[in-house]
């Protein structure tokens, strides 16, 4: 397929959804839009022309337009997914990209790479940027075009960051293994020797990789991830402070509160009071399609029987 990778002038968001699916069987298909599928919990399989990828929490796949793919969620393995579809254009209709291109050189590097798809771990705040953008799309507020532009820019900055960090930088595979192990075991006591052993390298080299590529120590990364989890729970759940502490790997409410206040410069209860918001857990069983005028059409996400594929 002939693809045009000229620098785009604008982008149009064409569809989105936020769903928790107990089971799903999607046939192979292509579409004119690029697509991001981000897993927030559970796991799924994404089939591409020559590879099958298993995505788990805090992983995502980017699919360029025209790339054949299908999604599979097996019975007994529910999966929650944030999905965004968008079309890059050479004309100026839609969200202009000049400010993004000027302010984020890594976006052009990501775009010019031209790979039809890639799978990546969330190396920073990709999930939060997707969640905030989809939440704003759901609100359907008037005069929100500027805010949507900024939120889309943010998502593209995070996407470009993950694509850049995921390239074959010396030691990146070890770093990804370490980050993945940390992310999946935040509720457990974590030690540097244990994490290094899981990554398959010595602890001194792993500490050096975190310092050079993540601009933080291993301990600082663990604290950051736990604090991000805590901030999300305080903002989007009704868990008490003690239960939130336990859900983020802390056995002591006092230790948790002290760490949280040091990190965010306010107590957990003050943070909740300031930032609490209600975010719908999904798009009510539907994928929302947007036309060029911003009008919305609902498409039910039905579960076709596996035997019919």
């Amino acid at each position: 397929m002939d693809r045009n990778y000229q620098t785009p002038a604008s982008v149009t968001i064409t569809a989105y959804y936020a769903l928790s699916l107990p089971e799903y069987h999607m046939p192979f298909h292509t579409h004119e839009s690029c697509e991001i599928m981000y897993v927030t919990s559970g796991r799924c399989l994404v089939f591409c022309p020559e590879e099958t990828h298993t995505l788990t929490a805090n992983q995502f796949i980017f699919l360029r337009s025209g790339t054949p793919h299908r999604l599979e969620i097996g019975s007994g393995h529910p999966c929650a997914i944030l999905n965004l579809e968008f079309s890059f254009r050479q004309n100026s209709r839609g969200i202009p990209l000049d400010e993004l291109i000027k302010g984020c050189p890594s976006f052009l590097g990501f775009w010019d790479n031209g790979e039809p798809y890639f799978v990546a771990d969330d190396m920073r705040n990709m999930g939060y940027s997707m969640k905030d953008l989809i939440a704003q799309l759901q609100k359907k507020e008037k005069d929100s075009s500027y805010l949507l532009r900024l939120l889309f820019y943010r998502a593209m900055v995070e996407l470009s960051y993950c694509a850049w960090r995921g390239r074959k930088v010396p030691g990146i595979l070890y770093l990804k293994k370490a980050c993945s192990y940390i992310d999946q075991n935040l509720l457990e006591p974590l030690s540097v020797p244990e994490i290094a052993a899981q990554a398959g390298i010595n602890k001194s080299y792993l500490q050096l990789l975190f310092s050079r590529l993540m601009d933080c120590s291993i301990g600082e990364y663990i604290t950051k991830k736990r604090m991000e989890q805590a901030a999300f729970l305080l903002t989007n759940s009704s868990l008490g402070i003690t239960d939130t502490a336990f859900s983020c790997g802390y056995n002591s409410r006092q230790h948790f509160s002290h760490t949280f206040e040091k990190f965010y410069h306010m107590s957990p209860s003050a943070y909740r009071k300031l930032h609490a918001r209600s975010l719908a857990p999904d798009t009510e069983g539907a994928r929302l399609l947007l036309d060029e005028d911003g009008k919305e059409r609902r498409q039910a996400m039905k579960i076709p029987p596996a035997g019919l594929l």
Side-chain angles (χ1 to χ4, degrees), residues 46-237:
V46 179
F47 294 82
C48 295
E50 298 179 357
E51 294 180 291
T52 300
H53 298 278
T54 300
L55 301 184
T56 57
N58 302 315
Q59 292 184 317
F60 68 92
I61 185 168
F62 169 79
L63 298 150
R64 207 179 281 262
S65 59
T67 302
H69 62 282
R70 77 179 184 90
L71 172 66
E72 179 82 14
I73 299 173
S75 177
H77 298 283
C79 184
I81 298 177
L82 300 174
N83 180 278
L84 184 71
E85 298 172 29
F86 47 93
S87 293
F88 289 112
R89 305 180 184 280
Q90 303 307 320
N91 58 45
S92 58
R93 185 169 185 178
I95 299 174
L97 295 177
D98 51 347
E99 188 177 349
L100 173 65
I101 291 170
K102 181 180 179 181
C104 181
S106 61
F107 171 75
L108 279 183
F110 146 73
W111 178 254
D112 290 340
N113 180 268
E115 55 192 340
Y117 61 89
F118 71 85
V119 173
D121 295 307
D122 189 343
M123 302 295 286
R124 195 166 59 181
N125 293 303
M126 182 66 188
Y128 288 102
S129 69
M130 289 274 291
K131 188 179 294 289
D132 288 344
L133 176 55
I134 290 174
Q136 184 61 36
L137 286 167
Q138 284 182 273
K139 290 179 181 178
K140 305 175 184 64
E141 295 177 337
K142 293 182 178 180
D143 302 322
S144 65
S145 58
Y146 182 68
L147 179 55
L148 282 174
R149 180 196 303 190
L150 294 180
L151 291 172
F152 182 81
Y153 285 176
R154 178 190 176 200
M156 291 300 99
V157 169
E158 294 296 335
L159 176 66
S160 304
Y161 180 87
C162 292
W164 173 65
R165 288 293 194 188
R167 298 265 159 77
K168 293 184 178 179
V169 178
I172 193 68
L173 292 179
Y174 298 118
L175 184 63
K176 290 176 68 175
K177 285 182 180 179
C179 290
S180 178
Y181 181 76
I182 292 169
D183 294 348
Q184 293 172 21
N185 293 277
L186 283 176
L187 298 184
E188 306 298 329
L190 291 166
S191 69
V192 174
E194 173 193 4
I195 297 167
Q198 292 293 328
I201 55 174
N202 67 64
K203 63 179 184 180
S204 296
Y205 183 43
L206 183 61
Q207 288 170 325
L208 180 63
L209 288 176
F210 268 87
S211 177
R212 285 183 175 177
L213 300 179
M214 301 292 286
D215 299 319
C216 66
S217 68
I218 298 173
E220 288 170 342
Y221 178 82
I222 294 171
T223 298
K224 175 176 177 290
K225 298 302 289 188
R226 285 175 170 166
M227 289 297 99
E228 287 176 352
Q229 174 72 358
F232 176 79
L233 291 175
L234 290 169
T235 301
N236 296 286
S237 81

